[in-house]
Amino acid sequence: MTRIAIIGSGPSGFYAAQEFFKKEPDGYIDMFERLPTPFGLLRGGVAPDHQQMKTLSKLYDRIASHPNFRFFGHVHVGKDVSIDTIRRHYHAVILAVGAETDRRLGIPGDDCVGSHTATEFVGWYNGHPDYQSRVFNLNASVAVVIGQGNVAVDVVRILAKPVDDLAKTDITDTAISALRQSRITDIYMIGRRGPAQAAFTELELTELGKLAGVTVVVHDDLVLSDADSMEMAASSKVRKNITQLEMFKASSSIKTPQKTIHLMFYSSPTRIHTDANGHITGIQCTKTALMGEAGSQKAILTSETYDIPCGIVFRSIGYRGVPLDGVPFNEATHTIPHKNGHVCDQNGQLFGNVFVTGWIKRGPSGVIGTNRSDSIETVTTCLAALPTLPDPHPLDTPSLLANHRYVSYADWQKLDAYEQSEGIKKGKVRDKVTSAKEAFAVLDNHSHS
Ligand code: NAP
């Protein structure tokens, strides 16, 4: 029987499992996850006020209900067990570890007090165990979000949305109490290119205009160059974005908004200003001009600068993959090199029984559903390669983890039920467990009750 290991339990991992069972219904899957809970960015990335999207976990539950599926949560492959050990015990290993960290901006003041990555903020309000100790000073009146992707829009929306609406979701209590005390009234979302190149999508942009008590101000004229018009003609996404931006510009804004979202284009952050204690006081932006062909226009700095005084900055310029010990890695793209999902080295030499899917394969782009086709490709490649791969060592997985406490899928289901019942008590969708310690305490209590 074919035994595969999937490392990572986010959407790409679950879609790989789904495809594998579809093609090999009698095969076996062990899924390893660093955190005590499954679902990767579906749980720790998707915004708490996008609960509809999170119902995808029901599909993942169905995949996990296959009798030959096992989940090993709170197992850090590369630390608790080596990737080589895993490789020896399975016919194939599929890496679905996502893009764990963030891109660097690389400007003076980048790391000052009050300058955060969106990754940290999103992880913090979503209950991701890695980010629960982070502190965000929301006392200032102005926040700046750098970047104009959908993650930036999420950050802007969480800062602007009436807190009572957020409190009903699965956002953490810590985040809710910080957001209740927030004094932020103005949120700037800064893009280095123009409206036609903005990475956000219309649905997410439109949502900003629907927030109670919030006005959206577009600070630039929406004049399109010939190259922009060509980009617009070629992309319905661009057309829809421009139409929505024009509506923001035309709409009569709320006279006395509680909060204002400022959309700034052609602005590249070039310095974060700090006081003598290294605390943020503002951000310098340099105006840009676009150069290049339609479809590949780049922002070039001009000599014109302006400052936005602010008390907090969120850098939302994209996620970045990190290498796994002993596995080939492309340092330029921060992805694992592969041929149709089969990991290879920089010379194109296939890397034994290791396969790759999701953001660590193609980079941090696309919506959750994009991972489905990505994982189908990887599993197809993997199954075609199986006859050429050696049989694994027969040792069973739990004995590999003999001295390590892990979370099984049955454990996760207990945690899931616990989170939901705690949520009901507080009038919210769920109250998340935010550390392995808490998860094991809940499970221990559960087994005694
Ligand atoms: P993204 O879509 O790639 O956007 C990154 C943004 O950062 C772009 O505006 C980019 O501008 C800007 N940027 C990059 N480097 C920069 C620099 N050095 N200086 C200034 N700006 C810079 O990334 P993301 O927002 O992290 O989203 C990742 C993926 O998740 C996307 O596919 C996104 O659609 C998806 N997602 C979807 C949803 C949803 O469907 N609701 C929610 C969240 C995320 P340039 O274009 O000029 O490079």
Side-chain angles (χ1 to χ4, degrees), residues 381-412:
T381 304
C382 171
L383 294 178
L386 277 180
T388 66
L389 300 171
D391 277 339
H393 194 288
L395 190 72
D396 192 38
T397 309
S399 53
L400 289 180
L401 304 169
N403 297 316
H404 183 83
R405 187 167 184 189
Y406 60 84
V407 175
S408 67
Y409 211 78
D411 289 338
W412 155 243

Side-chain angles (χ1 to χ4, degrees), residues 43-44 54 126-127 170 172 419 430-434 438:
R43 179 178 166 98
K54 294 195 190 233
N126 261 329
D170 60 359
T172 64
E419 289 186 342
R430 74 170 62 230
D431 193 33
K432 282 182 178 170
V433 164
T434 59
E438 190 187 354

Side-chain angles (χ1 to χ4, degrees), residues 81-147:
V81 55
S82 76
I83 183 98
D84 279 348
T85 304
I86 297 281
R87 286 182 67 184
R88 279 199 299 278
H89 291 90
Y90 294 86
H91 287 96
V93 181
I94 298 181
L95 305 172
V97 295
E100 262 189 62
T101 187
D102 47 273
R103 286 191 197 125
R104 301 284 305 154
L105 201 50
I107 60 171
D110 222 354
D111 292 319
C112 73
V113 181
S115 165
H116 309 275
T117 63
T119 314
E120 291 170 278
F121 187 59
V122 170
W124 173 74
Y125 65 62
N126 261 329
H128 190 300
D130 288 359
Y131 303 105
Q132 293 314 294
S133 61
R134 299 292 200 281
V135 177
F136 299 91
N137 176 7
L138 307 178
N139 273 331
S141 58
V142 178
V144 170
V145 180
I146 299 169

